[in-house]
Each structure stands twice: as structure tokens, then as C-alpha cells.
Amino acid sequence: EPEVTQTPSHQVTQMGQEVILRCVPISNHLYFYWYRQILGQKVEFLVSFYNNEISEKSEIFDDQFSVERPDGSNFTLKIRSTKLEDSAMYFCATPGGLGVGNEQFFGPGTRLTVL
Amino acid sequence: DAKTTQPNSMESNEEEPVHLPCNHSTISGTDYIHWYRQLPSQGPEYVIHGLTSNVNNRMASLAIAEDRKSSTLILHRATLRDAAVYYCIPGGYNNNDMRFGAGTRLTVKP
């Protein structure tokens, strides 16, 4: 089964600091997605990214968030000035095939703790 | 986005079949029905999807009502590893930002 990896597994930061979460998706895939899950709550869609552009974003994905593909193999989610309420698990995901398919593979997540 | 209704929780005994229902009465004609699950402390995991016909794969079966307003995920023999939150998510084939609801928490008893 294809594997999506995320780093770090756990990030602790002070409120107001910038954090960058990294995702290495299934090789050569142009699509990826970011989700978050606040402890005890449902998984929430943040943003979808295709071929170096944001294709869709939710109301959660405000100006504090940005996504990039700094090189050919990994994607990042940046939070510019973290708030306490940004504490959550952040998951990235990519479709299983080269196109847009129904099966998404999720990474193991990064636990972000904002103090 | 189509609204879904799932039981908050269900229990099953190990080795017995489990039927997890989902109502999605506002589903559009082109929406697929996706099922994902989330094991404790892990990311969501794809289970199965379908459009109109019933579907089977190595993990589960998906039974879709004729009017497509409901579906049932069937685990034929529940194992302890199947204890998870199961999510039913209607959505388009080309619009794959999955909108998760609260899901059904399945407990499997030995």
C-alpha cells in the first residue's frame, strides 16, 4: 500500500511562533490535501493543492495558513503566527492513483501543541 | 455537501458481522459514497466507495439502497482491529476534499 509520511510527528511551539509541517506524498503525485483534527473532534478539511496551486480551501484556512511545494517531493503547511486553538493533529493526504480518485491515503499526522 | 446521519456508536462481538448504516438523503445524483475509518491515534484510512451498485473489497462490502439515500457498510467478521470510528462521506469523483462528519464509533468485544 502506498505510504504518505509526515514530519515531525509532534511539534511543540509557543503562541505566536511560525510552524512548518511537512508531508511527503505518494511519489510524483500532483494532488495533496491538508486536514486537521482538534482533540476529540471530527476531521476537518483545510485545503487542497494541485500542480502548485490551491484548488479549494475551507473557511478555516485563513491568511495565517499557507501551503507550498518547496521541491518536487514534499509539501508544507505553514502557520504564520500560531494560536492556542491551532493545537490539533494535522493530516496530509493524496489520492492513490495519478489522477483524482476516490481513495485517499492519509499520513500518520503531526501533532501540533501550541503553548 | 450532502448531510449524513450515522449512529454515534455501535458494538459488536468479535468474529460476528457488523452492519454500519448511513443516511444521506440529500446526496446528489453524481456523488459517490465513500467510507473511511480512523483507528485510535491514526490518520483516516480508506475502506470502500461506490456509486449505485453494491461493492466488495478485501476490507468490507458496501450495500447501497436503490434510491441511494442510504448505504450500509458491512464488515463480515469483525476483529478487534476493526475497532475504529467509521465515516460515511458522499462526494464527487473529482472533488476529493473529504468532508468528515462525526462518524460511528465501533467497539468490538472479544
Side-chain angles (χ1 to χ4, degrees):
Chain A
E1 186 171 286
E3 189 174 286
V4 179
T5 58
Q6 292 186 244
T7 56
S9 57
H10 190 188
Q11 173 93 45
V12 181
T13 189
Q14 296 290 325
M15 191 171 58
Q17 295 297 303
E18 175 183 283
V19 294
I20 297 176
L21 311 181
R22 290 184 169 78
C23 170
V24 181
I26 295 166
S27 297
N28 300 321
H29 217 293
L30 297 178
Y31 284 92
F32 77 97
Y33 310 87
W34 283 100
Y35 298 81
R36 80 171 185 190
Q37 186 175 31
I38 295 170
L39 184 64
Q41 298 187 24
K42 66 180 183 180
V43 177
E44 300 173 292
F45 166 73
L46 291 177
V47 65
S48 60
F49 194 79
Y50 169 66
N51 202 22
N52 297 321
E53 289 187 1
I54 290 175
S55 58
E56 190 165 350
K57 60 183 180 179
S58 72
E59 60 277 6
I60 302 169
F61 194 87
D62 60 22
D63 292 343
Q64 290 288 87
F65 292 89
S66 63
V67 288
E68 285 184 0
R69 190 178 185 185
D71 59 46
S73 63
N74 73 91
F75 297 87
T76 61
L77 175 69
K78 183 191 295 185
I79 308 175
R80 290 189 181 83
S81 178
T82 51
K83 304 187 286 286
L84 295 176
E85 53 266 37
D86 293 328
S87 294
M89 285 291 291
Y90 288 81
F91 298 104
C92 69
T94 60
L98 290 178
V100 181
N102 287 278
E103 181 176 3
Q104 282 193 18
F105 290 95
F106 284 76
T110 292
R111 179 175 299 284
L112 176 64
T113 301
V114 182
L115 303 176
Chain B
D1 296 337
K3 180 176 165 55
T4 60
T5 304
Q6 296 180 257
N8 290 332
S9 62
M10 292 183 65
E11 280 189 357
S12 170
N13 294 317
E14 197 176 9
E15 303 295 318
E16 290 185 356
V18 182
H19 290 231
L20 298 161
C22 180
N23 287 321
H24 32 76
S25 58
T26 60
I27 192 170
S28 78
T30 56
D31 277 349
Y32 282 73
I33 299 155
H34 313 261
W35 282 82
Y36 282 76
R37 71 180 184 181
Q38 188 173 23
L39 278 64
S41 301
Q42 294 189 28
E45 176 186 30
Y46 167 82
V47 178
I48 200 167
H49 76 275
L51 185 60
T52 55
S53 304
N54 295 343
V55 185
N56 301 298
N57 67 18
R58 63 177 177 82
M59 290 180 70
S61 295
L62 177 60
I64 301 172
E66 196 170 333
D67 63 6
R68 293 190 0 104
K69 293 184 177 181
S70 65
S71 61
T72 302
L73 181 71
I74 302 165
L75 307 179
H76 295 285
R77 292 180 67 193
T79 68
L80 297 178
R81 193 196 173 276
D82 290 323
V85 180
Y86 286 79
Y87 302 96
C88 152
I89 308 173
Y93 187 84
N94 289 320
N95 183 19
N96 272 336
D97 49 337
M98 296 294 160
R99 306 290 174 137
F100 289 79
T104 296
R105 182 174 298 278
L106 175 67
T107 302
V108 180
K109 296 184 288 185

